Amino acid sequence: MEQILANGLYLGAQYALIALGLTLIFSLMNVLNFAHGQMYVFGGFVTYTVVVQWGLPFIAGLFVSAFILAVIGALIERFLFRPVIRKSHREESTMLLAAGIAFFLDAVILLIFGEKQRGVPKIMDGVLNWDFRIIMPYDRILIGVLAIGMIVAFILFMQYSKAGRAMRALAQDRVAAQLMGVEVDRYSMIGFALGAMLAGLVGGLLVTITGINLGMGGPTSIKAFMMIMIGGAGVISGAIAGGFILGMMESIGLTVLAIYGDITYLVIFASLMIFLAIRPQGLMGKPWG
Amino acid sequence: MNIKKLFGVILFLLLVLVVVPWLIAKSGRWDFYYTLTSVSLLSIASAGVWLTFYIGRINIGQGAYALAGGYVAAVLVSKYGINFWLTIPLAGLFCAALSVLIGLPILRLRGVYFAMVTLVLTEVMRLAALALPVTNGAKGITSIPLPQELSVFGFTVIPDFSTLANTKLAFYLTSVVLMVICYFVLWRIVNSRLGHLCRSLQQNEELSASIGVNTAYLRVIAYSISSFFGGVAGSMFVAISQSIYPSSFQVTDSVNFMLNCFLGGLGYVFGPMLGTLVLYFGWDLLFTAGRYQLLIYSTLLIALILLLPNGILSMGIFNRKKTRS
Amino acid sequence: MTQMLSLNNVELYYDHVYALKGVSIHLEEGETVALIGANGAGKSSILRAITGLSSITQGEVHYMGARLDGTSAADIVKQGIAMVPEGRRVFPYMSVKDNLLMGAFTRTDKAEVKQSMEKVLERFPRLRERAGQQAGTLSGGEQQMMVIGRALMAKPRLLLLDEPSLGIAPKLVQDIARAIVAISRDENVSVLLVEQNSRMALSISDRAYAMSTGSIALTGNSADLMNDDRIKAAYLGGDI
Amino acid sequence: MSPILVVENVTKKYGGLVAVNDVSFSVMSGEILSVIGPNGAGKSTMFKLISSFVRTTSGQVLFKGKRISNLTPHVVARLGVVRTFQETTIFRSMTVRENIVVSHHLRSKASLFGFFIGSAVAKADERAFGESADDIIEFLGLQSIRDELASNLPQGHLRALGMAIGLATNPSVLLLDEPFAGMNHDETMHMVTLVKRLRDERGVTVLLVEHDMPAVMKISDRIVVINFGEKIAEGIPSEIQSNEKVIEAYLGSEDDAIGL
C-alpha cells in the first residue's frame, strides 16, 4: 500500500508538471498543444547532450533544457500561433498547426539526436528501504522532490509575481485584462515559453531515470491530455489534480491489475469516459456549452 | 442527378478503372498500385472523419475504428474462416455499434475537448489490441489468407484471389470500387435531408434544437456512419497486408486522416479524397529526401497552414464551389 | 478648465450594424459627465471607442490635446484612462487583493501602489474584510465596489464607468452613487458615467448627454434634464 | 380566448443568484405579449425557461395544459413552442431558402433513411417543404434575397430570416428574442407589421422579449414587466407607460437621486 502511494506520488509529480505547461498554454490561448510531448522529449535530449556529451553537471543540463525550450516556445508562439490565430476563423486551424509542429519537432529531434534511446548515468546511488514497505531508489526520490519543488515554484510564481497575475487575469477575462493594460501578445508569448519550459524540465528530470527516445513524445502528449481532461482544461489546480490522479491510478493499476495483463490504461480510459459523461468539464473546470 | 454530373462520374470511373491500370501497365511502375490502393482506402477512412467535421466535431480518433475494423476482419477470417467479403460490412457494423457506445458520452463535448478525447481513443484502441487475448497481443495476427471467391446465386462476382496472377491489380480495383461506393453513400447523405440537418448542426446546435432536431440522436447517427467507414477501410487493409498489429493504425494515422480532410476542404464532399491523394503522394515523393522527409513534409504543412489558415478551400477560386455544393 | 476628452463625429459599427453614427461629445477636466439612454442606444460603444477595444471607422478621439484613437488598449491605460466595464468583469478566481493589484498593472511605483491600495481599502471597508476571498464569491454590490477600486488603482485622470448600477440591488445603488461623488471630489479625476438609471446619473453629474439609437438626442445641464419629460419619453416609447 | 401558455410560479437560481423569482403570467391564444424590463432583469432567462433551454429551479410552464418546462428544447419545439434567438442566429453558410427548407424538419413524414434512398414519401416531403418555404419567403417579402448566402445579409433581413426559420416549424407559439435589436426606425416598423400579420393571418401566438419601447408599445396586446427577476407589472401598453413602478425600474427611483 505505502509502495503504491509512493510510486503514485513520484509519477504524479512529473505528470502534474507536464499537465501544468499544457493547461497554461490552453488557458491563455485556447490552443491544444499537440507538440507538448515532443517538447518534453526535446528537453530530455538537451539534458543528455549537456550531461553526457559535454560532461557538465546534471543541474546545468536542467538549466540549458529549460532555457532552450523556453526560447523554442516563444518562437513558436510569435511566428506560428500568433499569425494563425489572427487570421483563422475556426479553432481547427490551431489544432492542425499544433499537429504540424509536433511532426516538425519529431523531425528535428530525429536529425539532431537520432533514433537511439539515450540516458544519463545515475545521479545518485542507493535505495531507500523502509522495512520493505517502501522500496525506492534515492535518485527517484530526488527527482520526485525536485518535481514537487518545481510545482510549488510555479504556483508561487503564478500567485505572487506580476507576470503570473497578468497571465491568470488573461485566462479569466481577456477583455478586463486588456482594460487593466495587460499586453495580450506579450503575455501569450511568455505563457507559451513557460509552458514549453516546463515540458523541457520534465524531460530533463526523467532522462536520468527512464532515459529518453524519439517515440516517447506522442504517448506523453496523450497522457497530458488525459490529465487535463480529468482536472478540467485551463485550470491550474485541475492540472495538478489530474496529474496526481493519473499517477496514482497508474501506480494502483500496475499493481492491482497486473494479473489481468496490461490493461491499466484501458481501465483508466473507460473510467475517464464514464467520468466525462457525468462531468464533462472535469473536476475543477468551468462548465461550458 | 443531372447529365453533367453523370458524365463526370463516368469519366472518373473510366479514369480510375481503365486509364490508370493502362498507364501503370505501360510504365511498368507496379508499385503505384500499392500507393493508389492505399490512397483509396485511406480516403474512405478520411471520408468518415469528414462527416464528423460536417456535424461540427473534430475527430482525431478514426485510427481507432480502422484498427478495430481490421481486427474484426482478421479474427473472423483467420479464426472462424468466414468469407472475407462478408467481414467488410461486419467490421463496419461492429465499429458503428462500438462508436454508439463511445459516442453517447463523448459527443456532448465540443471543440477542443471532443478532439482530445478522440485522440486518446486511438491510443487506447492500440493498448486494447495489445492486451486483449483475441488479438494475439503485440505479435498481431499474421498469415491471413487472401480473400476467397464471392459468388451470388452461383455466379462469381469476385474470383478467389489466390488463383489470380495479378493480385495487386485485383486489390486496386476492389479498393477503388469500395471507395466509389463509400463516396456515393457520403454524397447521398450530404445531399439528402440527413446532410442538411448535419449542416444545421455544424452551424448552430442551439438553433438546430429549436427547430426541433434531436441533436443528440443525429450526432450519434453521423458519428456511427463515420466509424463504419473507418471499420471498412481497416478491414480491407487487412486483406492486402494479410496481417494486422496493434501498431497498424496509430495516433499519427488519426492525425493524418484529419489533415486529409482539412487539406482537401471541409465544404466539399470529395475533398478528403483529394486531400488523401495529395498528402500521400506528397509523402511518397518526398521519400527521395531520405532522412529529411519528415522535416520537409512538416515544414510544408506548417507553411500551408500559415498561408491558408482556413483551408485550401478558402482560396478564391474554390469559394464558389463551397457555396453551391 | 482645459478640455480633457473630446469625440468628434465618431462612427463605429460591428458586423455591418451601426453602433455610433456621428457622435460628438466632450469632457472638461474635473467634470462629471453622464451618458444616459435606453439599452442598445450606443452608450457602451462610446466607451469601447475611447478605450480602444473597438476601432472607430470615422471621426477622431482626442485626449489631453493628443490623438487617442489608434493607440493600443494598454497604452491608453498608461495615459491615465481607467474603465469600470459593464457587467463588472471581475477576475472571478483571483482574490480581491489580486484583483486590485491588477488595476495597478501598468504602474511601476511600488511604494505608491501600496498607498493607493490602502486608500481604496479605506474607501471601501468591505473590501478590506474580504481581501483574501475569491472575487467571484462576492455579492454584486461588493463586486461593483471592487471594480471601481480596481480602476482607481491605476491612478487615473479620467474614469470611465459603464452601467455601475446594472443588476445591483436598489438599496446599494445609492451607495455606489455616493462613492462616485466622493471619488470625483477627493481624487483628481474626471468621470464619464454611462447609465441606464438616469435619475441616479443626472443627480450626480454636472452635464449629461442622452443617447438614442447611436446618436446624441439631447444634451444639457444635468439639473435641467432631470425635470425634462423628454427623457422619460426616450425610455418608455413616447415621442421625444 | 383561453390561455395557451401558462407560466406558474417559475423560479430559476444560479448558485446563490436568483435570476427569476416566482414569476407567473399567462399568454392567451392569438395574443401578442411582450416581456420587458431593464437590462439584466431576467428577461432572457425567462425566455430560456419557457423554451426549456435551461431547467427551472421550481415552478412550471404549461402549454395547452401540458407541462413543457424541463424537457429538451427539441421536444418543446415539436409540441409547437418555438423560439428565435437574440443575436443573429441563423445557419450562416446556407442560402435563405436552404435555411427555411431545413427548418421544416418537424413536418417531415419520411425517416432519415427514407430521405437517404429517396423514397416516395421523402420526395413528397421535399416538394412540400420547398413549396412551403416559397410561401414563407413571399409572406415575409424575402423574394429578392432567396438565394443569397445568409452570412451576406444585412441586419434587417437576418431578423426576418430568423422569423422565417421559426415559422417553418409551424409553431403555435413563437417566442421572439429581441426581434428589433439593432434595427433602424423603418426596419422596426416593417417588422412590427410582419409580426402583426403573423398573428392575424397565421394565427400564431407571439411572446416577445424586447427593449425597443416604441415598438413594444405599438405591437403588444399586453405587456409583462420584469425587474430583478420579479414580475412588477402586467397590463395593456397605456397602463404600463404610466405605471410608477415601471418608470422607477427604468429611470431609477426618486430615492436614487442623491442630494449633493
Side-chain angles (χ1 to χ4, degrees):
Chain A
M1 189 61 214
E2 290 87 350
Q3 183 69 42
I4 296 176
L5 276 178
N7 285 343
L9 269 180
Y10 158 75
L11 271 174
Q14 289 147 14
Y15 285 175
L17 261 185
I18 298 178
L20 272 177
L22 191 67
T23 221
L24 177 67
I25 292 170
F26 181 77
S27 69
L28 287 180
M29 310 171 65
N30 204 21
V31 162
L32 191 56
N33 184 21
F34 282 118
H36 213 69
Q38 276 74 13
M39 290 177 168
Y40 153 86
V41 172
F42 207 108
F45 274 117
V46 171
T47 299
Y48 158 78
T49 309
V50 170
V51 175
V52 174
Q53 302 202 319
W54 300 351
L56 293 174
F58 176 65
I59 196 77
L62 277 187
F63 271 110
V64 176
S65 282
F67 176 75
I68 289 186
L69 265 294
V71 171
I72 291 177
L75 291 177
I76 286 178
E77 194 281 331
R78 172 68 188 80
F79 293 104
L80 299 178
F81 280 106
R82 195 181 299 175
V84 168
I85 289 173
R86 197 150 294 167
K87 279 196 285 181
S88 72
H89 309 311
R90 312 202 258 200
E91 58 187 350
E92 48 261 39
S93 323
T94 59
M95 223 177 271
L96 288 159
L97 178 62
I101 292 171
F103 286 149
F104 180 79
L105 285 182
D106 260 339
V108 171
I109 293 168
L110 180 68
L111 287 175
I112 303 181
F113 304 108
E115 290 177 89
K116 279 207 197 97
Q117 162 93 13
R118 303 286 188 185
V120 301
K122 264 184 175 307
I123 48 173
M124 219 176 164
D125 286 321
V127 175
L128 172 84
N129 185 343
W130 177 44
D131 215 11
F132 289 98
R133 280 200 261 181
I134 297 181
I135 301 172
M136 197 175 243
Y138 283 124
D139 59 344
R140 285 195 184 218
I141 296 174
L142 178 68
I143 295 299
V145 169
L146 272 178
I148 290 175
M150 284 175 194
I151 294 174
V152 172
F154 177 80
I155 294 173
L156 291 178
F157 172 76
M158 290 303 282
Q159 206 63 35
Y160 295 109
S161 76
K162 197 168 167 179
R165 255 201 313 274
M167 283 188 274
R168 279 190 294 147
L170 258 186
Q172 288 173 29
D173 192 323
R174 221 175 164 73
V175 173
Q178 267 173 289
L179 285 174
M180 301 298 113
V182 176
E183 301 97 329
V184 176
D185 285 348
R186 186 156 159 230
Y187 284 95
S188 297
M189 189 157 116
I190 293 177
F192 210 106
L194 194 60
M197 187 180 98
L198 285 178
L201 274 174
V202 189
L205 286 179
L206 275 189
V207 74
T208 63
I209 311 270
T210 53
I212 202 98
N213 67 57
L214 186 58
M216 289 166 89
T220 306
S221 292
I222 287 169
K223 277 186 187 172
F225 292 161
M226 291 180 78
M227 293 175 237
I228 69 171
M229 277 188 281
I230 294 172
V235 187
I236 288 175
S237 54
I240 296 171
F244 278 105
I245 289 172
L246 190 70
M248 216 44 99
M249 284 170 88
E250 209 179 300
S251 165
I252 294 170
L254 289 177
T255 323
V256 179
L257 299 172
I259 41 168
Y260 304 106
D262 195 6
I263 59 167
T264 305
Y265 262 84
L266 276 182
V267 174
I268 291 177
F269 186 76
S271 11
L272 179 65
M273 295 276 243
I274 296 166
F275 171 68
L276 283 179
I278 303 162
R279 205 178 156 81
Q281 73 270 30
L283 273 183
M284 308 188 180
K286 300 156 241 176
W288 75 87
Chain B
M1 213 192 289
N2 59 30
I3 299 293
K4 216 172 139 191
K5 272 191 188 140
L6 194 65
F7 187 71
V9 170
I10 291 172
L11 207 68
F12 178 78
L13 288 177
L14 274 177
L15 179 76
V16 293
L17 296 178
V18 179
V19 178
V20 168
W22 180 76
L23 280 175
I24 289 179
K26 267 279 181 198
S27 64
R29 290 293 302 268
W30 298 100
D31 57 315
F32 272 167
Y33 272 136
Y34 183 73
T35 310
L36 286 172
T37 307
S38 301
V39 167
S40 41
L41 293 180
L42 292 174
S43 70
I44 293 174
S46 303
V49 179
W50 187 89
L51 190 61
T52 42
F53 267 118
Y54 211 62
I55 58 165
R57 290 292 187 281
I58 304 163
N59 180 356
I60 330 180
Q62 188 72 324
Y65 294 107
L67 192 65
Y71 270 109
V72 169
V75 169
L76 289 180
V77 170
S78 64
K79 296 214 168 131
Y80 299 97
I82 292 174
N83 188 325
F84 169 75
W85 303 110
L86 207 60
T87 67
I88 294 182
L90 287 178
L93 286 175
F94 176 83
C95 288
L98 186 65
S99 74
V100 170
L101 267 182
I102 296 174
L104 278 175
I106 70 171
L107 280 165
R108 289 166 59 204
L109 307 174
R110 294 185 194 188
V112 171
Y113 302 89
F114 181 79
M116 261 194 289
V117 183
T118 52
L119 188 74
V120 173
L121 183 65
T122 317
E123 180 67 6
V124 165
M125 201 60 84
R126 188 181 73 85
L127 292 170
L130 272 174
L132 296 177
V134 70
T135 54
N136 209 17
K139 289 190 291 280
I141 300 173
T142 49
S143 330
I144 299 163
L146 283 170
Q148 297 163 307
E149 172 183 320
L150 178 72
S151 58
V152 182
F153 305 122
F155 174 74
T156 306
V157 182
I158 305 171
D160 191 333
F161 271 40
S162 52
T163 63
L164 291 178
N166 190 347
T167 49
K168 273 185 180 162
L169 175 64
F171 274 124
Y172 169 74
L173 291 177
T174 42
S175 300
V176 165
V177 169
L178 206 57
M179 175 181 80
V180 169
I181 294 171
C182 284
Y183 273 85
F184 176 73
V185 169
L186 187 66
W187 180 81
R188 263 311 293 176
I189 289 172
V190 166
N191 286 290
S192 80
R193 186 144 198 88
L194 182 56
H196 300 163
L197 294 179
C198 289
R199 262 171 92 193
S200 80
L201 207 59
Q202 173 202 42
Q203 290 175 33
N204 197 319
E205 290 195 10
E206 289 201 315
L207 183 58
S208 197
S210 82
I211 60 167
V213 177
N214 188 344
T215 49
Y217 172 74
L218 189 64
R219 278 196 298 260
V220 171
I221 294 278
Y223 187 56
S224 62
I225 296 172
S226 148
S227 310
F228 185 91
F229 284 162
V232 166
S235 60
M236 191 69 201
F237 251 113
V238 164
I240 295 165
S241 57
Q242 294 182 277
S243 64
I244 187 156
Y245 305 94
S247 57
S248 290
F249 290 98
Q250 303 189 48
V251 170
T252 324
D253 297 287
S254 284
V255 172
N256 277 330
F257 293 141
M258 175 185 74
L259 287 176
N260 293 339
C261 294
F262 176 78
L263 204 74
L266 300 177
Y268 187 41
V269 182
F270 301 104
M273 203 194 281
L274 182 77
T276 313
L277 188 75
V278 171
L279 268 189
Y280 198 90
F281 251 98
W283 176 247
D284 245 28
L285 288 177
L286 283 174
F287 187 70
T288 46
R291 56 200 292 250
Y292 295 103
Q293 186 184 22
L294 185 60
L295 188 73
I296 298 172
Y297 177 80
S298 56
T299 310
L300 287 176
L301 208 60
I302 291 173
L304 197 69
I305 299 163
L306 270 181
L307 293 175
L308 296 169
N310 299 310
I312 290 188
L313 280 200
S314 66
M315 264 158 60
I317 46 165
F318 289 105
N319 272 346
R320 260 170 305 137
K321 257 182 206 161
K322 196 177 176 183
T323 59
R324 290 278 166 255
S325 69
Chain C
M1 285 204 280
T2 54
Q3 195 154 66
M4 179 158 234
L5 178 82
S6 67
L7 275 72
N8 294 328
N9 206 18
V10 166
E11 282 187 11
L12 177 100
Y13 51 89
Y14 317 113
D15 274 347
H16 312 296
V17 187
Y18 266 104
L20 298 177
K21 340 175 199 187
V23 169
S24 301
I25 61 167
H26 67 96
L27 189 135
E28 313 290 331
E29 193 157 359
E31 245 187 339
T32 298
V33 170
L35 265 173
I36 57 176
N39 205 339
K43 303 177 307 262
S44 297
S45 301
I46 291 190
L47 297 190
R48 290 184 71 88
I50 298 171
T51 51
L53 286 180
S54 300
S55 44
I56 59 177
T57 38
Q58 235 180 56
E60 293 167 7
V61 181
H62 286 273
Y63 170 70
M64 308 293 290
R67 191 77 180 258
L68 192 69
D69 47 303
T71 317
S72 78
D75 281 336
I76 288 173
V77 180
K78 277 185 200 147
Q79 291 184 33
I81 300 181
M83 165 134 143
V84 175
E86 185 184 345
R88 307 190 281 275
R89 308 201 83 134
V90 301
F91 300 113
Y93 304 105
M94 284 165 93
S95 68
V96 170
K97 198 170 158 231
D98 280 359
N99 263 276
L100 293 176
L101 280 175
M102 277 312 295
F105 183 76
T106 53
R107 290 173 61 181
T108 45
D109 42 346
K110 268 198 171 161
E112 282 175 57
V113 168
K114 246 185 194 147
Q115 276 178 20
S116 301
M117 171 83 85
E118 197 46 44
K119 256 166 92 183
V120 167
L121 294 179
E122 230 158 75
R123 189 181 293 286
F124 303 113
R126 281 302 280 274
L127 297 184
R128 195 191 295 278
E129 290 166 31
R130 315 207 161 211
Q133 209 169 317
Q134 281 201 342
T137 64
L138 300 184
S139 75
E142 289 166 341
Q143 287 189 359
Q144 192 64 57
M145 304 289 182
M146 191 195 76
V147 288
I148 293 176
R150 187 175 69 180
L152 288 179
M153 289 294 291
K155 244 189 171 180
R157 305 192 56 187
L158 173 60
L159 182 62
L160 311 173
L161 295 152
D162 197 353
E163 307 263 14
S165 78
L166 186 73
I168 303 293
K171 53 184 191 295
L172 285 175
V173 171
Q174 279 194 49
D175 291 351
I176 287 169
R178 289 212 177 82
I180 297 170
V181 172
I183 287 164
S184 70
R185 184 189 58 215
D186 305 342
E187 324 259 337
N188 178 24
V189 65
S190 317
V191 178
L192 181 59
L193 170 66
V194 161
E195 255 304 334
Q196 199 175 203
N197 185 332
S198 67
R199 281 183 177 149
M200 185 269 259
L202 291 175
S203 77
I204 63 170
S205 55
D206 305 315
R207 283 189 305 118
Y209 296 92
M211 288 194 78
S212 125
T213 55
S215 43
I216 304 289
L218 276 176
T219 173
N221 281 328
S222 299
D224 301 340
L225 288 177
M226 190 76 130
N227 302 314
D228 199 320
D229 276 341
R230 290 178 297 176
I231 297 279
K232 192 169 127 189
Y235 279 90
L236 289 184
D239 293 309
I240 296 180
Chain D
M1 279 201 292
S2 57
I4 187 166
L5 195 73
V6 180
V7 176
E8 246 178 36
N9 308 101
V10 166
T11 297
K12 174 70 191 174
K13 291 182 189 162
Y14 290 104
L17 187 82
V18 186
V20 169
N21 192 9
D22 198 23
V23 171
S24 303
F25 61 89
S26 353
V27 188
M28 300 297 155
S29 183
E31 165 176 63
I32 299 180
L33 181 109
S34 300
V35 176
I36 64 169
N39 210 348
K43 292 168 296 187
S44 290
T45 311
M46 194 65 245
F47 224 67
K48 288 179 193 155
L49 287 168
I50 295 174
S51 50
S52 268
F53 271 76
V54 298
R55 301 175 71 85
T56 56
T57 309
S58 65
Q60 57 178 351
V61 182
L62 303 171
F63 170 66
K64 291 182 179 166
K66 267 174 63 187
R67 206 184 71 147
I68 55 166
S69 41
N70 300 355
L71 301 175
T72 51
H74 78 266
V75 174
V76 172
R78 207 156 276 191
L79 290 170
V81 180
V82 174
R83 77 175 281 200
T84 67
F85 288 80
Q86 191 164 356
E87 299 300 323
T88 50
T89 304
I90 33 102
F91 301 121
R92 291 183 66 82
S93 50
M94 293 189 195
T95 68
V96 168
R97 192 165 181 276
E98 282 174 336
N99 259 286
I100 303 173
V101 169
V102 82
S103 306
H104 279 76
H105 176 69
L106 279 180
R107 304 193 197 177
S108 65
K109 295 185 193 75
S111 65
L112 286 178
F113 187 70
F115 280 108
F116 175 71
I117 57 169
S119 69
V121 187
K123 281 189 176 137
D125 266 0
E126 290 289 2
R127 215 173 309 121
F129 295 170
E131 281 165 15
S132 158
D134 291 333
D135 250 17
I136 293 172
I137 287 173
E138 202 175 324
F139 178 74
L140 294 174
L142 300 174
Q143 294 95 329
S144 58
I145 52 158
R146 55 177 263 162
D147 293 319
E148 275 295 322
L149 208 57
S151 55
N152 298 338
L153 296 181
Q155 187 78 2
H157 280 145
L158 284 178
R159 299 277 164 180
L161 178 55
M163 204 147 84
I165 291 173
L167 265 187
T169 60
N170 209 5
S172 311
V173 179
L174 192 59
L175 310 173
L176 300 174
D177 200 351
E178 307 205 352
F180 312 119
M183 283 186 172
N184 65 28
H185 183 77
D186 294 346
E187 288 170 333
T188 305
M189 286 307 119
H190 178 64
M191 197 65 168
V192 167
T193 330
L194 280 182
V195 174
K196 284 200 159 168
R197 278 182 56 208
L198 201 73
R199 188 261 310 265
D200 298 341
E201 293 171 26
R202 300 205 161 211
V204 180
T205 306
V206 179
L207 175 69
L208 57 92
V209 163
E210 181 52 60
H211 54 236
D212 181 338
M213 287 308 140
V216 166
M217 295 303 160
K218 278 215 174 64
I219 202 172
S220 317
D221 296 324
R222 284 190 308 130
I223 297 175
V224 169
V225 190
I226 293 183
N227 196 19
F228 289 103
E230 293 181 18
K231 187 173 90 174
I232 58 167
E234 180 175 359
I236 58 171
S238 58
E239 288 168 4
I240 296 297
Q241 259 172 322
S242 55
N243 185 316
E244 188 52 35
K245 266 189 176 166
V246 177
I247 295 171
E248 235 174 61
Y250 273 88
L251 300 182
S253 82
E254 301 278 0
D255 306 337
D256 289 347
I258 63 168
L260 288 176

